[in-house]
Amino acid sequence: GNSVTQMEGPVTLSEEAFLTINCTYTATGYPSLFWYVQYPGEGLQLLLKATKADDKGSNKGFEATYRKETTSFHLEKGSVQVSDSAVYFCALRKETSGSRLTFGEGTQLTVNP
Amino acid sequence: EPEVTQTPSHQVTQMGQEVILRCVPISNHLYFYWYRQILGQKVEFLVSFYNNEISEKSEIFDDQFSVERPDGSNFTLKIRSTKLEDSAMYFCASNRDRSSYEQYFGPGTRLTVT
């Protein structure tokens, strides 16, 4: 079946550090890939998406590239801010599975000033 | 900006009791979902709902669970005869149509079964 695996967490960084959160997936065919973010006390929000191989999703300085050859969708940001502290979820959606999202474990990011 | 709301934010119940978790999806959305996250585990899909019927459900969504849209605004998840392992965060989500990529999530209801 479909699955998503994220890097072990949590992650603690200093402000302006470079961020990478790894995400790999298992699925047949061509799923759509997503990163969701959850700020404290709020629901999950879509951060970025990519719907086909080699697509790059980007938003708020975050980027992720859909790599079919390595079945990966790693999240990166060049310079994190304290306000980026949140939980980040990688997810996939396969059309043949309806519109359900399959999530990774989530990674807690803490950015210290 | 429209948002999905959920009540209550925290529900404590005794094992064997029935609970109803409530959600108000965004008003012009047509597809509704429930997900749950057991502490320390992944967010898991439970069920999707469209046109007043279940469109898809996972293996988790057995006869203990039911969903309903009792009026034009609420979307509820009922859990009968709760078990300790039902303790989790339950998220409601909605989107405008099936092809829309973004599902809008509520803040969640933390259910604690004692």
Side-chain angles (χ1 to χ4, degrees), chain A residues 3-5 32 34 36 38 41-44 46 49 51 89 93 95 97-101 103-105, chain B residues 31 33 35 37 41-45 48 56-59 91 95 98-107:
Chain A
S3 68
V4 177
T5 302
S32 297
F34 307 86
Y36 276 79
Q38 184 181 29
E42 300 183 17
L44 283 74
L46 180 63
K49 69 178 187 292
T51 59
F89 294 91
R93 188 183 86 170
E95 288 307 313
S97 299
S99 49
R100 71 162 75 179
L101 292 168
F103 285 91
E105 298 87 346
Chain B
Y31 286 81
Y33 310 84
Y35 293 83
Q37 184 180 29
Q41 298 185 24
K42 297 184 178 185
V43 176
E44 302 170 292
F45 169 79
S48 60
E56 188 183 4
K57 62 182 181 179
S58 72
E59 312 73 40
F91 294 104
N95 64 356
R98 188 179 161 120
S99 63
S100 171
Y101 287 108
E102 182 163 7
Q103 292 182 16
Y104 292 79
F105 283 77

Side-chain angles (χ1 to χ4, degrees), chain B residues 27-39:
Chain B
S27 62
N28 64 344
H29 285 188
L30 301 177
Y31 286 81
F32 314 115
Y33 310 84
W34 284 102
Y35 293 83
R36 78 172 185 190
Q37 184 180 29
I38 296 171
L39 187 64

Side-chain angles (χ1 to χ4, degrees), chain B residues 44-98:
Chain B
E44 302 170 292
F45 169 79
L46 293 177
V47 65
S48 60
F49 190 86
Y50 169 72
N51 198 26
N52 280 322
E53 60 183 26
I54 290 173
S55 53
E56 188 183 4
K57 62 182 181 179
S58 72
E59 312 73 40
I60 302 168
F61 194 88
D62 59 21
D63 292 343
Q64 186 193 5
F65 295 90
S66 61
V67 290
E68 190 179 27
R69 189 156 162 82
D71 53 43
S73 59
N74 289 284
F75 179 51
T76 62
L77 174 68
K78 182 188 292 185
I79 308 175
R80 288 179 281 275
S81 190
T82 50
K83 305 188 284 277
L84 294 177
E85 54 264 39
D86 294 326
S87 296
M89 182 73 87
Y90 288 82
F91 294 104
C92 173
S94 68
N95 64 356
R96 194 177 60 246
D97 54 57
R98 188 179 161 120

Side-chain angles (χ1 to χ4, degrees), chain A residues 19-94:
Chain A
L19 169 71
T20 300
I21 300 177
N22 290 336
C23 171
T24 57
Y25 69 89
T26 301
T28 56
Y30 298 90
S32 297
L33 301 175
F34 307 86
W35 277 99
Y36 276 79
V37 59
Q38 184 181 29
Y39 299 103
E42 300 183 17
L44 283 74
Q45 302 172 25
L46 180 63
L47 179 61
L48 53 84
K49 69 178 187 292
T51 59
K52 60 183 188 295
D54 300 325
D55 266 3
K56 177 185 282 188
S58 61
N59 186 25
K60 299 180 182 179
F62 291 90
E63 293 182 341
T65 300
Y66 188 141
R67 302 279 188 208
K68 185 156 177 66
E69 64 276 12
T70 54
T71 62
S72 64
F73 193 56
H74 304 322
L75 182 68
E76 296 182 335
K77 186 174 186 182
S79 176
V80 293
Q81 306 300 312
V82 172
S83 56
D84 294 326
S85 297
V87 182
Y88 292 81
F89 294 91
C90 186
L92 69 80
R93 188 183 86 170
K94 281 221 51 197

Side-chain angles (χ1 to χ4, degrees), chain B residues 2-6 23-26 29 92-94 103-108:
Chain B
E3 58 183 18
V4 176
T5 59
Q6 291 184 241
C23 169
V24 179
I26 294 172
H29 285 188
C92 173
S94 68
Q103 292 182 16
Y104 292 79
F105 283 77

